[in-house]
Amino acid sequence: MIRIVDVAREAQVSVATVSRTLNNSARVDPVLAERVRAAVQKLGYRPNAVARNLRRRGTQVWALIITNLNNPFYTAVARGVEDVASELGYSVLLCNTDEDQAKQDRYLEVAAMERVAGVILAPRSDDSDVSTVQDDQIPLVVVDRALRQPVDFVTAASFEGAVLATEHLLRQGWRRPACITRPADTATAEQRRLGYEDVMRRHGLAPVVRHVGFHAGGSAEMISALLAERDAPDAFLTIDSMLALDVLGGLQRAGLHSGRDVGVISFDDASWAPVVDPPLSVIAQPAYEMGAEAARLLARRVRSEGPAEPQTMIMSTTLIVRGSCRRPKR
Amino acid sequence: MIRIVDVAREAQVSVATVSRTLNNSARVDPVLAERVRAAVQKLGYRPNAVARNLRRRGTQVWALIITNLNNPFYTAVARGVEDVASELGYSVLLCNTDEDQAKQDRYLEVAAMERVAGVILAPRSDDSDVSTVQDDQIPLVVVDRALRQPVDFVTAASFEGAVLATEHLLRQGWRRPACITRPADTATAEQRRLGYEDVMRRHGLAPVVRHVGFHAGGSAEMISALLAERDAPDAFLTIDSMLALDVLGGLQRAGLHSGRDVGVISFDDASWAPVVDPPLSVIAQPAYEMGAEAARLLARRVRSEGPAEPQTMIMSTTLIVRGSCRRPKR
DNA sequence: TTGTACGCGTTATCAG
DNA sequence: CTGATAACGCGTACAA
């Protein structure tokens, strides 16, 4: 490996001068600077970031910890984070917890040990423990799912989105919409369920709620069973696009058609939503922008800018009406 | 920040003993070891990975550089890599190049500077420059898309998959299948096109090929135009699932139905494939396993095991027949 | 403006 | 088995 001293020797200057030219950290005689650059070129020198980080007592790396890389919502968030990060000169350590609390804890531990400059976390549960990074004063921005404790937080208006969706369903004439959601310790899912139940209550209707674990496998049976009940739901609100897929599959097996026999609406505007038949109505979240905003907020924290109190940023959701909620007159 | 010396003082031992107990690198008197562990606990000590990496002259981090985080194929690969990595005690630096050669080069540079232990790369083009990591002797495994030069490489049988797909189309009675593919410097896309053309030629049919750039926007128009031609294709083979979405959208706008008016088959078994109407036939790649195998191969390279010559691993693809290729008798 | 020398926090070597 | 100490490669006071 070729070190800074090698460059210094080649350029006939001191290591300090090499360091200074490479980091523009002080004025350097243009002649020497040129010699340094030539030597760097000639030797193919590449600064050792590890040593630099040790000396600087800090890295240029962020950790982004999400629960499911297969969820297009999170990959969109990740792209938002990544774009802003690379713009600002940070690298992103992307960690996938698989909705596993233990894995999440391990990643937080790794982040702390690697002395990352900041962490963006989509927590598994609303009482996830984040003391690992907090104790080390590592800036943390929570994204998507709220934590019980006050922290910097970027999310979408889940409750309102669910209200929008449920009201749209009822407006079309569906009377027994069900809400397919995720475990109750998932903040976002819970907000959506509450929004749904709120509308149902106001309309004097009985909520029908089903919770589906993340490591599915059972949701297909659950949906088929639900469809076979005596007072089966006549519509569905699913709180993420993977659950929408499950419901669509269930309808298919039952020989039912959305936009005709049942209404379907889901959170997240997946890329396939406009292409299924009929196209799926959705509550879209600005996923990419959420990631980008979380990143910008983190950047401010890393630079210790802005107010000290935790910031919360709630981005609005959009109802996109397609065909899957239609209810023909009968 | 709390350092190893603080622990040593608290436990009334030397730093060497602390280090040894924490790394199990040598026998330590159980009594002292217990005192160390107690001190670690009490002080909340967490080893500084940056310092460790400097001293050990190496990290426990891999870089995974892919072209598009939104492509479910690559997220599946990433999961495979990540699972094996975390099993083996490595962290993964996930980088998204957005099909941008310059971004890819920057990430390779970052990987080299961060002294990652290894790199897994899905290159933008078949003549991407990987000398940045090769010069520094950083083990490299290329995944999915081949490079012109010999390197460790894990991929799926693209040519054969395309042959399978095209023959299936013809078997159903379609006579003018078109191939919608990606730029010709994308090794995998090119293999698929060649497989398609090979079958067409053997059947004495004229190939119809369209290349679509990655930053789409134009593919919708292209497909609509293609559909409007005099001798419009009566079937489509798309080489990835995003192109399939484009084709399905085009058919929808043209009022055509797959599995009736046209046949459609695509590479990659996306999660939505079984749910569109009719369900989409596909050539499935073992994406997760490809990632896992690439990771295992990289792990061997990092440990300098196995033969020195570049290894190539070609995993087989599977034709999954659903409804989208059906051709009713007329 | 330049160079020398020390320290960042660990691990590994070498005496004891 | 333990402890003192020299690296690891870089950035930056401080002195020149």
Side-chain angles (χ1 to χ4, degrees):
Chain A
M1 176 198 289
I2 159 126
R3 303 173 338 280
I4 199 172
V5 284
D6 304 317
V7 177
R9 189 174 309 121
E10 176 73 26
Q12 315 236 46
V13 296
S14 72
V15 292
T17 301
V18 176
S19 175
R20 283 191 278 250
T21 42
L22 263 36
N23 297 304
N24 296 328
S25 57
R27 286 205 56 78
V28 173
D29 185 315
V31 179
L32 298 192
E34 199 36 61
R35 287 223 306 267
V36 168
R37 270 184 276 277
V40 166
Q41 194 66 35
K42 176 175 176 194
L43 302 178
Y45 169 69
R46 197 166 289 125
N48 183 325
V50 177
R52 164 182 294 173
N53 292 339
L54 178 59
R55 174 63 233 226
R56 288 197 181 150
R57 308 161 134 240
T59 65
Q60 293 276 93
V61 176
W62 289 346
L64 169 60
I65 307 178
I66 60 179
T67 62
N68 186 359
L69 205 49
N70 283 344
N71 185 341
F73 169 75
Y74 283 123
T75 59
V77 170
R79 296 204 43 180
V81 170
E82 235 235 349
D83 283 357
V84 171
S86 78
E87 213 166 90
L88 269 43
Y90 293 94
S91 302
V92 176
L93 196 58
L94 181 47
C95 315
N96 183 34
T97 65
D98 240 345
E99 301 285 359
D100 177 340
Q101 185 71 55
K103 257 183 121 175
Q104 176 178 309
D105 294 343
R106 279 222 316 281
Y107 278 125
L108 287 170
E109 186 90 24
V110 169
M113 294 194 1
E114 295 285 348
R115 301 307 195 254
V116 298
V119 174
I120 297 180
L121 170 71
R124 161 62 204 91
S125 110
D126 58 4
D127 65 347
S128 285
D129 176 27
V130 291
S131 60
T132 314
V133 292
Q134 284 182 327
D135 291 353
D136 289 15
Q137 320 263 37
I138 299 176
L140 169 70
V141 174
V142 168
V143 68
D144 183 40
R145 302 179 183 170
L147 238 41
R148 292 257 182 79
Q149 60 189 284
V151 286
D152 287 318
F153 179 42
V154 175
T155 193
S158 280
F159 185 94
E160 293 78 359
V163 168
L164 233 53
T166 312
E167 280 177 345
H168 179 65
L169 247 18
L170 296 180
R171 220 179 299 126
Q172 304 301 306
W174 304 109
R175 297 337 279 167
R176 292 188 310 285
C179 175
I180 312 296
T181 184
R182 297 293 189 184
D185 59 354
T186 312
T188 316
E190 195 64 358
Q191 286 303 308
R192 294 171 193 179
R193 177 183 69 76
L194 289 172
Y196 156 83
E197 292 192 351
D198 190 58
V199 173
M200 294 296 277
R201 196 166 306 115
R202 287 208 311 266
H203 284 257
L205 297 171
V208 177
V209 173
R210 288 295 182 278
H211 294 266
V212 176
F214 290 102
H215 296 292
S219 75
E221 289 77 353
M222 185 279 284
I223 287 165
S224 293
L226 189 54
L227 249 15
E229 281 181 14
R230 229 170 7 100
D231 275 332
D234 62 0
F236 292 89
L237 164 61
T238 57
I239 66 107
D240 65 47
S241 65
M242 290 156 314
L243 288 174
L245 244 21
D246 291 348
V247 166
L248 260 27
L251 293 180
Q252 195 173 290
R253 282 193 308 279
L256 297 171
H257 292 267
S258 69
R260 196 185 78 188
D261 312 313
V262 299
V264 180
I265 189 168
S266 176
F267 270 77
D268 294 339
D269 190 19
S271 59
W272 49 262
V275 159
V276 290
D277 185 35
L280 182 70
S281 297
V282 298
I283 301 292
Q285 303 186 73
Y288 178 93
E289 268 309 317
M290 290 167 65
E293 284 303 335
R296 283 190 266 267
L297 178 50
L298 183 60
R300 268 179 267 138
R301 291 306 186 193
V302 170
R303 297 195 215 102
S304 322
E305 292 171 12
E309 315 84 60
Q311 310 260 307
T312 294
M313 184 159 198
I314 303 181
M315 311 192 60
S316 59
T317 53
T318 317
L319 168 64
I320 301 181
V321 177
R322 298 199 179 104
S324 62
C325 291
R326 263 194 317 254
R327 182 169 180 278
K329 304 267 181 291
R330 17 202 115 183
Chain B
M1 175 198 288
I2 161 127
R3 301 170 343 275
I4 199 172
V5 283
D6 304 318
V7 177
R9 190 174 309 120
E10 176 73 28
Q12 316 235 46
V13 295
S14 72
V15 292
T17 301
V18 175
S19 176
R20 283 191 280 249
T21 38
L22 263 35
N23 297 305
N24 297 327
S25 57
R27 287 205 55 78
V28 173
D29 185 315
V31 180
L32 297 192
E34 199 35 62
R35 288 221 306 267
V36 168
R37 270 184 276 277
V40 166
Q41 193 67 32
K42 177 175 174 195
L43 301 178
Y45 169 70
R46 196 167 292 124
N48 183 327
V50 177
R52 162 181 299 172
N53 292 338
L54 177 59
R55 175 63 234 222
R56 289 200 179 149
R57 310 161 126 237
T59 65
Q60 292 278 91
V61 177
W62 289 346
L64 169 61
I65 307 178
I66 60 179
T67 63
N68 186 358
L69 206 50
N70 282 346
N71 185 339
F73 168 73
Y74 283 123
T75 60
V77 170
R79 296 203 44 180
V81 171
E82 236 235 347
D83 284 356
V84 171
S86 79
E87 213 167 89
L88 269 42
Y90 292 93
S91 301
V92 176
L93 197 58
L94 181 49
C95 315
N96 183 35
T97 64
D98 239 345
E99 299 284 1
D100 176 341
Q101 186 71 53
K103 258 183 119 175
Q104 175 179 309
D105 294 342
R106 279 224 316 282
Y107 278 125
L108 288 169
E109 186 90 24
V110 170
M113 294 194 359
E114 295 286 347
R115 303 304 195 255
V116 299
V119 174
I120 297 180
L121 170 71
R124 162 62 203 89
S125 108
D126 58 5
D127 64 347
S128 285
D129 175 27
V130 292
S131 59
T132 314
V133 293
Q134 284 181 327
D135 292 351
D136 289 15
Q137 320 263 37
I138 300 175
L140 168 72
V141 173
V142 168
V143 68
D144 183 40
R145 302 179 183 170
L147 238 40
R148 292 257 182 80
Q149 59 189 286
V151 287
D152 286 318
F153 180 42
V154 175
T155 194
S158 281
F159 185 95
E160 293 77 0
V163 167
L164 233 54
T166 311
E167 280 177 344
H168 178 65
L169 245 20
L170 296 181
R171 217 179 301 126
Q172 303 301 307
W174 304 108
R175 294 337 278 168
R176 293 189 309 285
C179 175
I180 313 296
T181 184
R182 297 294 190 182
D185 59 354
T186 313
T188 316
E190 196 63 357
Q191 286 304 308
R192 293 172 194 179
R193 176 182 69 76
L194 290 171
Y196 156 83
E197 291 192 351
D198 190 59
V199 172
M200 294 296 278
R201 196 167 305 116
R202 286 208 313 266
H203 286 258
L205 297 171
V208 178
V209 173
R210 288 296 181 278
H211 293 266
V212 176
F214 291 103
H215 296 291
S219 76
E221 289 77 353
M222 185 278 284
I223 287 163
S224 294
L226 189 55
L227 249 15
E229 281 180 13
R230 229 168 10 97
D231 274 331
D234 62 359
F236 291 90
L237 163 61
T238 57
I239 67 108
D240 65 47
S241 65
M242 291 157 314
L243 289 175
L245 243 20
D246 291 347
V247 165
L248 261 24
L251 294 180
Q252 195 174 287
R253 283 193 307 279
L256 296 171
H257 292 266
S258 70
R260 197 186 74 189
D261 312 312
V262 299
V264 180
I265 189 166
S266 176
F267 269 77
D268 293 340
D269 191 19
S271 59
W272 49 263
V275 159
V276 290
D277 184 34
L280 183 70
S281 296
V282 298
I283 300 293
Q285 303 185 74
Y288 179 92
E289 269 309 317
M290 289 167 67
E293 283 303 336
R296 282 190 267 269
L297 177 50
L298 183 60
R300 267 177 270 138
R301 290 306 185 193
V302 170
R303 297 196 214 100
S304 323
E305 293 171 9
E309 315 85 61
Q311 309 261 307
T312 293
M313 184 161 199
I314 303 182
M315 311 193 58
S316 59
T317 53
T318 317
L319 168 65
I320 301 182
V321 177
R322 298 200 178 103
S324 63
C325 290
R326 261 194 319 253
R327 182 165 179 281
K329 305 265 181 290
R330 17 200 114 185

